[in-house]
Amino acid sequence: MHELPLTENIIRLAEKHGRESRASKVESIVLVVGEQSGFIGESIQMYFDALSKGGMCEGAVLEIKPVAPKLRCASCGALFRRQPFSFACGECGGEGEPTDIGRELYIESITVRQD
Ligand SMILES: [Zn+2]
């Protein structure tokens, strides 16, 4: 449910950006959402379609880029995706530690149309 206020914020930011660039319409928004950010891309998409109606973002493409969480090996420093039931590094077998990769949540770009 916390995707609702998040999506409202995204739309507000995109419309502000559109107004500031004197655009007629927001064409697309690229949003980076880590799989461990606590936010569900499909929910954001659903709210976006509903909330964007009647505004500058109506009909805009919301592209959601998921980021898979990664661990960093404490021994060799390799970044790797955690396997089920294992934290072991695929390179050296060392133990992986959590990183911030996979917790991202940000707008990567907003494309507007000027005409
Ligand atoms: Zn390693």
Side-chain angles (χ1 to χ4, degrees):
M1 276 307 280
H2 54 311
E3 280 84 2
L4 176 60
L6 172 77
T7 311
E8 286 170 342
N9 270 327
I10 293 167
I11 291 175
R12 203 173 304 138
L13 277 169
E15 290 183 341
K16 182 169 179 279
H17 177 74
R19 279 194 305 275
E20 284 170 357
S21 19
R22 309 207 174 284
S24 56
K25 194 178 169 332
V26 173
E27 289 209 310
S28 63
I29 301 167
V30 180
L31 185 70
V32 177
V33 184
E35 286 173 15
Q36 285 186 341
S37 65
F39 291 90
I40 312 286
E42 290 92 69
S43 298
I44 301 170
Q45 188 80 61
M46 189 187 77
Y47 284 124
F48 183 82
D49 291 343
L51 296 171
S52 61
K53 287 206 168 66
M56 272 179 115
C57 291
E58 182 168 359
V61 176
L62 178 65
E63 186 190 334
I64 293 175
K65 285 193 183 172
V67 182
K70 288 206 173 140
L71 301 177
R72 187 187 308 276
C73 174
S75 305
C76 75
L79 283 170
F80 60 96
R81 219 183 150 162
R82 184 162 108 71
Q83 300 302 310
F85 314 113
S86 167
F87 288 90
C89 167
E91 302 291 324
C92 73
E95 195 172 333
E97 294 173 338
T99 66
D100 285 336
I101 301 170
R103 297 182 203 275
E104 299 84 349
L105 182 68
Y106 61 88
I107 295 175
E108 189 180 80
S109 65
I110 299 171
T111 309
V112 297
R113 192 174 69 203
Q114 265 133 338
D115 55 18

